[in-house]
Amino acid sequence: MVPVACRVAAREEIAPGTVSLTVGDCARSVGVPAPGQFNMLWAPGVGEVPISLAGRDGDDVVHVIKAVGAVTRALCALQPGDALGLRGPFGTGWDLTAADGHDVLIIAGGLGLVPLRPLIGEIVAHRARFGSVGLIIGARSPSDLLFAEEFAVWGAAVDLEVTVDHAPTDWTGRVGVVTQLVDAVSVDHDDAATFICGPEVMMRFAAREVLERGTPADRIQVSMERNMHCGIGHCGRCQLGPVFLCREGPVVPWARIDASMKVRGR
Amino acid sequence: MIAPTVRDGTITPDRIDSAAELPIGYTDDQDGGHYRLVPTGTDEYFASSSPIDSWKRFLSPPEALLVRGRSSSTDLEVEPVVPDPVAFAFVGIRACDLAAIGLLDRVFLAPDAVDPTYATRRREVFVVAVGCVHPGATCFCASMGTGPIPRDGYDLALTELYDGDRHEFLVDVGSDRGAAVMADVSGRPAVAADDEAAAARAERAVAAMGRQLDPLDPPRAAANPEHVGWGDVAGRCLSCGNCTMVCPTCFCSATQDRTALLGDGVERWRVWDSCFTADFSSLHGNPVRATTESRYRQWLLHKLVTWHDQFGSSGCVGCGRCITSCPVGIDLTAEIRVLAES
């Protein structure tokens, strides 16, 4: 429960209000999260929040944070050289072994692309291990698309579709929600290992779309978000039905939370 | 030494320095939203039922310092806080509350997630349990299979045998530490008649329990998440969180930063929290459980249903405190019965 003192090695605002922090000096001593796992980042005097792994830079870890509350605002305001605390890694990440030898479908909405990015990196790096791979990325507007500079590399390896909810007139890409693009990528849904992360309502609809196309609920992995204070199943805040998302999640098979997700306010 | 004692018009576990501070001559009258201290006119030590508060505050204090640090924008020094060792004796703890500590052990002493504060306070506890022979109107430990007679987890277990002429304690030794203590206590060997007298009292206690909970009802209620009964109880519930504070197994917490006035010192404190607050489920500034209905459902179904999935047993020990301390007298045994109806 004791944070390790770390330092910001690099900072970049990668979208409006969204900052990429490369955290150094400590990553090796606490261990690097697996794709889908998270660290607790501490802005001393303000508080601590769970932030998923966005990537690695040598021994440093990269976290992408959107300023939505007091703690994330404080973290986003950090500059290179500034100190912060870190605990982790926590939780259960993506189970990529479920995808070995199978088709893969990845659906990312908004900031949901962040925890999926290391997974996409693994798949692109070991492309031959998988069948057809579909990657659907959505964001509010073109300027909210994260990691757009990596789309060319990803698009060369997998079937990539990108869409935005709202676009200025110079946008030549797709406009609409990610759920409309499930048929735009060619994967065998009966067989595909499906990975979804985004706003909860988007995950709900995306899961429904792929369930309707025959993907079993235990082949759909989603990364859930809840309030967390401890990361080790003690504070009780992250419960979703029987699941402590901080330990069993944040990545859980849809089958595990399907019943809870049918009830408002679970 | 922590034992039930009379404080502020209630009987509650607190520090005592002698047996004279036990609630001699007192019992309690408890019901939904109702608690009265009542003189018994006898000199019984343990004539009361559940103390108004539980024993969890001694093992997992309402506030615990986790981390101390000094920080400027570019420097951070973090100093772990090593909890001070404490050696408690819990005297006069009932079977329900002993079972509750067993449940907290599963949360805070999980092999891969040990809480240092809890572990330090729990390690040395010397337990003098007492068989509960005066259950209250809000009690239902017999339904939950936790009482009224303690079965394990004690160093000594007492049954107070009192009938006016006779005032003795039947002592069951549960550990070597317990045996060592008893070596210095004068008494006579127990005979079969003593065991029979204790068993008869336990049997009467089971019959006298004021409440019952059918173990088949919680899973039925879980299958009815949209039952109108949730809205009905939410219409009465004040979302005050009293039930979670007095519950001997509710363990949820918040961790807060506290800063020094000069701004360079910072501490992280863990404080009890309740699933009935809006902040508890806050995500991006809004609560996931925005309604009292969703919060009551979370509390009740966690306590009675998902606790089984998480920790292998019910999270309720049947102490009845949540009924007594509810300002509007909500009775979970009555609610679960309604919610289980199809």
Side-chain angles (χ1 to χ4, degrees), chain B:
Chain B
M1 184 157 53
I2 308 297
T5 189
V6 175
R7 291 265 192 286
D8 304 325
T10 65
I11 295 167
T12 195
D14 206 344
R15 180 186 164 147
I16 66 165
D17 295 313
S18 81
E21 292 175 73
L22 290 166
I24 301 163
Y26 283 102
T27 186
D28 48 69
D29 174 24
Q30 302 191 37
D31 209 334
H34 174 92
Y35 186 103
R36 294 289 183 278
L37 199 57
V38 180
T40 57
T42 74
D43 54 359
E44 283 171 279
Y45 287 82
F46 299 109
S48 51
S49 62
S50 286
I52 187 88
D53 199 2
S54 87
W55 305 66
K56 75 177 173 188
R57 67 173 55 251
F58 302 102
L59 299 177
S60 181
E63 297 195 319
L65 177 60
L66 304 179
V67 173
R68 206 178 275 121
R70 298 189 69 76
S71 76
S72 65
S73 66
T74 53
D75 282 298
L76 172 63
E77 285 170 42
V78 187
E79 181 193 325
V81 173
V82 180
D84 290 331
V86 196
F88 286 116
F90 286 176
V91 177
I93 185 170
R94 307 301 203 272
C96 56
D97 286 336
L98 212 46
I101 292 173
L103 295 182
L104 289 181
D105 287 350
R106 292 186 217 174
V107 177
F108 291 125
L109 302 179
D112 54 345
V114 173
D115 176 58
T117 302
Y118 185 89
T120 301
R121 290 167 163 259
R122 175 76 176 94
R123 200 171 297 130
E124 297 293 330
V125 176
F126 185 83
V127 175
V128 183
V130 63
C132 188
V133 295
H134 292 279
T138 51
C139 289
F140 55 103
C141 69
S143 293
M144 303 314 292
T146 62
I149 301 302
R151 289 199 184 79
D152 50 25
Y154 52 79
D155 297 291
L156 298 172
L158 314 180
T159 306
E160 188 169 17
L161 300 173
Y162 178 89
D163 61 9
D165 303 329
R166 173 191 195 190
H167 196 177
E168 289 180 299
F169 285 96
L170 179 66
V171 182
D172 178 19
V173 176
S175 73
D176 292 344
R177 286 206 302 171
V181 168
M182 284 310 291
D184 294 332
V185 176
S186 59
R188 61 173 177 84
V191 295
D194 298 315
D195 289 326
E196 284 159 21
R201 276 170 169 73
E203 210 168 297
R204 278 208 300 278
V206 169
M209 299 257 162
R211 300 285 204 277
Q212 284 189 328
L213 195 151
D214 181 345
L216 295 176
D217 279 346
R220 289 183 190 132
N224 293 336
E226 310 288 359
H227 195 290
V228 291
W230 296 112
D232 180 72
V233 63
R236 287 171 279 134
C237 174
L238 307 176
S239 212
C240 70
N242 267 14
C243 50
T244 57
M245 297 293 109
V246 297
C247 177
T249 69
C250 272
F251 59 82
C252 290
S253 65
T255 306
Q256 303 171 339
D257 277 37
R258 295 184 189 170
T259 49
L261 279 177
L262 290 174
D264 57 343
V266 59
E267 294 176 342
R268 285 186 61 73
W269 284 79
R270 185 178 64 200
V271 300
W272 286 0
D273 202 357
S274 170
C275 53
F276 282 94
T277 69
D279 184 61
F280 186 78
S281 67
S282 174
L283 198 58
H284 315 145
N286 292 304
V288 171
R289 298 185 200 102
T291 63
T292 299
E293 183 175 343
S294 60
R295 293 176 205 163
Y296 189 85
R297 189 177 53 210
Q298 168 62 25
W299 178 71
L300 193 68
L301 292 185
H302 181 222
K303 188 67 58 188
L304 298 178
V305 181
T306 52
W307 209 294
H308 285 274
D309 303 293
Q310 296 167 347
F311 302 108
S313 71
S314 176
C316 176
V317 296
C319 71
R321 288 188 178 91
C322 58
I323 306 171
T324 300
S325 284
C326 177
V328 295
I330 292 172
D331 172 358
L332 83 168
T333 67
E335 300 306 329
I336 201 75
R337 211 170 294 134
V338 170
L339 294 160
E341 290 164 3
S342 53

